[in-house]
Structures are given as structure tokens and as C-alpha cells.
Amino acid sequence: AQSVWGYDSDNGPERWHENYPLAKGDKQSPIEINSKDVQHDSSLSSWHASYDPGAAKTILNNGRTCRVVFDDTFDRSVLRGGPLTGAYRLRQLHLHWGSSDDHGSEHVIDGVKHAAELHMVHWNPKHGNFAGALKQPDGVAVVGIFLKVGKTPKPEMKRILEEIENIKTKGKEAPFQHFDPSILFPKSRDYWTYHGSFTTPPCEECITWILLREPIEVSSDQMAKLRSLSKNNENEPMSPLVDNWRPPQPLKGRIVRASFK
Ligand code: SG4
Ligand code: ZN
């Protein structure tokens, strides 16, 4: 079995199950969503985020993604409503992206792969701590936002992408303060929801996915910045951190619900 999981042929998604058997479970993520198979559910209410800009702490490159970490020691940045019961605390956000604009997202919508997918990870404080939440089916809620390359790039993405200059190589971390991630939401609140897993090992099946229908736009320069991160340490040769996405997993009878018609 591979020593450390990754996204290369010797340690990539096809081999994760060797060390992490949950990766072959019945509720794995991501999935492909076919809009003709989803169930509109008029009882699904809208979701609300109330984020405290003061909760943002640091941005880091761990060699597999870039991540912004938030203070989650109390209910200061929370997500409510939609398919969720109670308030879930924002813990971190990170991205998945490709080596070119025609792939990079994890979820696939009607055959379409987007250039990138942003994940905002929240956990249910009724389970005590994050580790405890991972063991519960209602432990975690992830909001997924698709990024596509377009003519009206979202200026709000700038902050994250500027800061990337300071975390070029694996293991680098920089302060990232006063940031309200709700500025990254698209205009529409429409979403799909289903029950699934983390998209990285150990792939625990504890996630209520809330996938936003409307992508946000980024520029090709912004995508190039993401692809300029290195998955290696500073004293090693540059190796572009790209294609850090898991492909769609079997639906196995799960129903995807839509908040919209
Ligand atoms: C990324 O690798 C994050 O850096 C991980 O965060 C995260 O794992 C993982 O993605 C899976 O999250 O929304 N794609 S996902 O399902 O949050 C966790 C950390 O390693 C446990 C902290
Ligand atoms: Zn993710």
C-alpha cells in the first residue's frame, strides 16, 4: 500500500481504499449530479451564513490544497437553515482545481467539470469537537461553490489569491485576518443537497453537502495563481500543485434534492 495518500498514480484516488477502506463505502463523495434525476423538495428552506470577519486566522499550503483556517472555539461564524438542523461552525475553507480550465472540480454537473471547487467546511457543535463530529452522520456540512473562468471575475477572490504569494511551497503558512468568506457566495442561493463523505482519506461519511447551483467567475490569471503553488517543500524542486480532485463516486441509490425547480 502507498505510504502517503495523494493525487498521483501511485497514491491517488484509485488506491486510497487500500489504506482507508471507508473510501469504498456506500455514501462517498463527490458524485455526478444529473439534473433530470434530482428531486425538487419544496420543504427545503434557504440557508444563511453569519460569519464574523474576525474569525479568520491563517492561510496555508499543505502540499495538497491551500486552506484558510477560522477560529471555531465558539459559535462566531455559523451556517444555518437549508437541510440543516441547528447551527454549524465554520472551521476552514479550501479549494480543488485542475491543470487546465476544463477540469478541476470534484462534483460534476450534467457532465460538466468546472475549473475549480471551493469548499467551506462547518461542523455541528452538538458533538463536542470536530473529531467527534466526524463520527456522526450529521457531523459536518460543506458548502461547495464552483469556479469557472469568465469575463467578470469575482474581485472578492483576490484576497485569497494575493496571499498565495506568501505560501508558494508546502508547509508555508501566513496570517490571514479580517476576512468574511460570505463575500464569495454567488447571487443565487439555489442549491442541491445530499448525504456524502469527505473527498479525501479517510473519507468519513459525515457530510451534508450543500452545492450551490450558480458558479462564481474567476479570471485565467487567478487560476494561474492557484496552479503556481508547489506541492513540494521550499528546498525541493517546484512541482505544480494541480489536479487535487477526486473523481465522482457511485451514487448507490442516494437521492439528490434540489431547493429549486
Ligand atoms: C482538503 O484536503 C482539506 O485541506 C482538508 O482539511 C479536508 O479534510 C479535506 O480537503 C476534505 O474535505 O471538503 N474536500 S472536503 O471533503 O476537513 C478535513 C484538513 O485536513 C477533515 C484540515
Ligand atoms: Zn474539499
Side-chain angles (χ1 to χ4, degrees):
Q2 72 279 16
S3 57
V4 200
W5 70 266
Y7 295 96
D8 296 322
S9 51
D10 55 339
N11 66 1
E14 304 312 318
R15 299 194 54 179
W16 291 350
H17 70 94
E18 296 168 16
N19 289 351
Y20 304 98
L22 288 179
K24 275 203 189 297
D26 289 337
K27 293 183 165 172
Q28 290 292 293
S29 293
I31 57 168
E32 166 148 23
I33 292 179
N34 291 306
S35 48
K36 64 169 180 12
D37 298 331
V38 309
Q39 265 178 26
H40 167 68
D41 185 343
S42 54
S43 73
L44 279 174
S45 61
S46 70
W47 52 275
H48 309 275
S50 75
Y51 293 154
D52 173 358
K57 294 200 300 188
T58 56
I59 187 166
L60 63 101
N61 171 350
N62 69 353
R64 293 176 181 138
T65 187
C66 85
R67 182 161 83 227
V68 177
V69 179
F70 299 87
D71 173 29
D72 62 354
T73 54
F74 61 101
D75 278 1
R76 80 190 284 201
S77 282
V78 294
L79 180 72
R80 288 193 181 84
L84 308 174
T85 303
Y88 283 62
R89 282 185 202 166
L90 178 65
R91 182 174 178 84
Q92 50 109 338
L93 66 80
H94 62 267
L95 296 119
H96 304 263
W97 61 93
S99 45
S100 58
D101 296 348
D102 58 357
H103 64 276
S105 66
E106 299 205 297
H107 289 89
V108 175
I109 310 294
D110 292 328
V112 174
K113 293 175 169 174
H114 288 91
E117 188 171 329
L118 172 74
H119 289 155
M120 299 188 183
V121 180
H122 310 74
W123 59 281
N124 191 337
K126 84 172 186 195
H127 302 304
N129 55 33
F130 186 65
L134 300 189
K135 300 191 180 84
Q136 304 297 332
D138 65 347
V140 177
V142 181
V143 175
I145 304 177
F146 298 110
L147 272 61
K148 70 173 205 187
V149 175
K151 290 192 187 66
T152 45
K154 215 169 171 63
E156 290 82 359
M157 271 303 287
K158 250 174 117 171
R159 181 75 200 283
I160 294 178
L161 294 159
E162 269 165 14
E163 220 63 54
I164 273 178
E165 291 305 318
N166 303 319
I167 55 157
K168 281 278 184 192
T169 52
K170 179 182 170 183
K172 287 229 162 177
E173 183 163 0
F176 196 84
Q177 277 149 1
H178 210 84
F179 178 71
D180 176 358
S182 65
I183 61 172
L184 301 172
F185 294 145
K187 276 190 240 81
S188 168
R189 293 289 161 124
D190 292 350
Y191 63 93
W192 294 283
T193 185
Y194 76 99
H195 195 259
S197 74
F198 280 106
T199 65
T200 64
C203 303
E204 299 96 332
E205 295 177 340
C206 59
I207 301 196
T208 303
W209 280 94
I210 299 173
L211 293 169
L212 306 190
R213 179 187 58 79
E214 186 188 346
I216 60 172
E217 291 194 4
V218 294
S219 66
S220 353
D221 287 5
Q222 290 178 328
M223 281 308 304
K225 282 213 166 114
L226 274 180
R227 297 182 190 121
S228 74
L229 291 169
S230 179
K231 61 183 174 190
N232 282 344
N233 293 311
E234 167 172 56
N235 56 0
E236 294 170 338
M238 154 72 178
S239 171
L241 173 49
V242 293
D243 290 326
N244 55 356
W245 50 277
R246 186 189 199 191
Q249 302 300 305
L251 200 52
K252 299 199 177 169
R254 284 175 289 175
I255 305 277
V256 178
R257 293 180 297 156
S259 72
F260 59 96
K261 267 201 186 123

